[in-house]
Amino acid sequence: MAILKRIPRPARYEVCDVTVILLALGAACCLGLGFVFQQAAAQHAPMKDFLSLRLLLDLVRMPLWVAGIGLMVVGMALGAVALGMGDITLVEPLLATNLLFAMALSRRLTRQRLGRSGWAGLWLLAGGVTAFIVAGRPQGGRSSGDHMWQWLIMGMVLGVALLLAAVAKRERVHVSLEAALLGVAAGLIYGLQDALTRISGERFGHGGWSALLTSWQPYAIVVLGVLALVMVQSAFESAPLRLSLPALTAAQPLAGILCGVGFLGDQLRVTPGALAWEVIGIVAVVAGIVLIGSHPAMPPGAGRTENARELQPR
């Protein structure tokens, strides 16, 4: 702490930002590898457990899935530390690079070359994240005191996620659309969970464990985490990874940035030039995610013959 006090204010923030970036990239690596392991196991789960808590009870018996969950927990812990040190509008785009690490592992398992689409997706994702961060220059500010606005945004994000999950559960949709809907729903919930993690970190920093455990946010984080986990594993169970993970990866930063700017007090540059590059960056990130997710190197996830469902209406 004494060393930090001797560092000039701008330099101190640069050191902090570098640490946040490294933590967020470490989190993305763990999440990406964990998702690949989880999907490899989930494709063998009984389809009767679709969108049910029983699915988690079946999966917990599979060592590969447990390893994937372990990696995801480490990734979430690193992400929580990054969110505690930095702004959600900085951390969320970096977490979206988890797809690059998932792609790297999948490519090694499938022995597929990247090719034009793979390299294009890689550069679009990396370039889009860089463009958004450089143009937006995310900075933390004072959290909004308007609790009605906070509840409105949180309710909207959660409501859309639950609606998408309900459509995937009840309507006769294609399996590819079903997996994408669940991926988007889980991504929205994870983005909301990240925002609540940021608030929990601030409460812990100001009041310690007593302030943290007497607030509702930590308990909401656990409930949202279980809900999102059921959605993700159901998507992994029902269809190939490339149909759900890109949707999840694209939705999470969008929800996180919305919460960050909407009620956490994060600020982005709003000059015409900066806004243009921020939009270009977000579009590039989404395009890169789609290209990487559709690459042949991503696991096909055929599963067992008796459990696999073809890409056709139910």
Side-chain angles (χ1 to χ4, degrees), residues 143-155 199 203 216-217 262-263:
S143 298
S144 172
D146 191 346
H147 293 290
M148 185 178 68
W149 186 243
Q150 174 181 342
W151 285 106
L152 179 63
I153 294 176
M154 291 173 55
I199 296 175
R203 288 186 177 276
W216 61 269
Q217 285 87 357
F263 60 84

Side-chain angles (χ1 to χ4, degrees), residues 99-133:
L99 198 59
L100 296 180
F101 297 100
M103 176 72 166
L105 177 58
S106 299
R107 180 173 175 267
R108 183 176 181 83
L109 295 175
T110 60
R111 301 186 184 279
Q112 289 276 355
R113 299 181 62 181
L114 279 179
R116 293 182 179 179
S117 64
W119 281 110
L122 187 153
W123 285 111
L124 280 171
L125 179 54
V129 169
T130 302
F132 179 84
I133 292 175

Side-chain angles (χ1 to χ4, degrees), residues 7-27:
I7 299 177
R9 186 179 180 87
R12 188 185 309 174
Y13 284 143
E14 290 177 6
V15 172
C16 182
D17 284 348
V18 171
T19 304
V20 169
I21 289 171
L22 292 176
L23 286 169
L25 290 176

Side-chain angles (χ1 to χ4, degrees), residues 153-167 181 184-185 188-189 231:
I153 294 176
M154 291 173 55
M156 180 181 66
V157 173
L158 182 59
V160 171
L162 294 177
L163 177 62
L164 294 177
V167 172
L181 290 175
V184 172
L188 292 175
I189 292 178
M231 292 179 182

Side-chain angles (χ1 to χ4, degrees), residues 56-127:
L56 301 183
L57 297 178
D58 286 332
L59 289 174
V60 78
R61 303 171 186 171
M62 303 181 185
L64 186 61
W65 187 81
V66 174
I69 288 295
L71 283 169
M72 188 176 76
V73 169
V74 173
M76 287 183 168
L78 291 174
V81 176
L83 287 167
M85 297 178 61
D87 307 317
I88 195 170
T89 46
L90 171 63
V91 175
E92 286 291 358
L94 293 171
L95 291 179
T97 61
N98 73 77
L99 198 59
L100 296 180
F101 297 100
M103 176 72 166
L105 177 58
S106 299
R107 180 173 175 267
R108 183 176 181 83
L109 295 175
T110 60
R111 301 186 184 279
Q112 289 276 355
R113 299 181 62 181
L114 279 179
R116 293 182 179 179
S117 64
W119 281 110
L122 187 153
W123 285 111
L124 280 171
L125 179 54

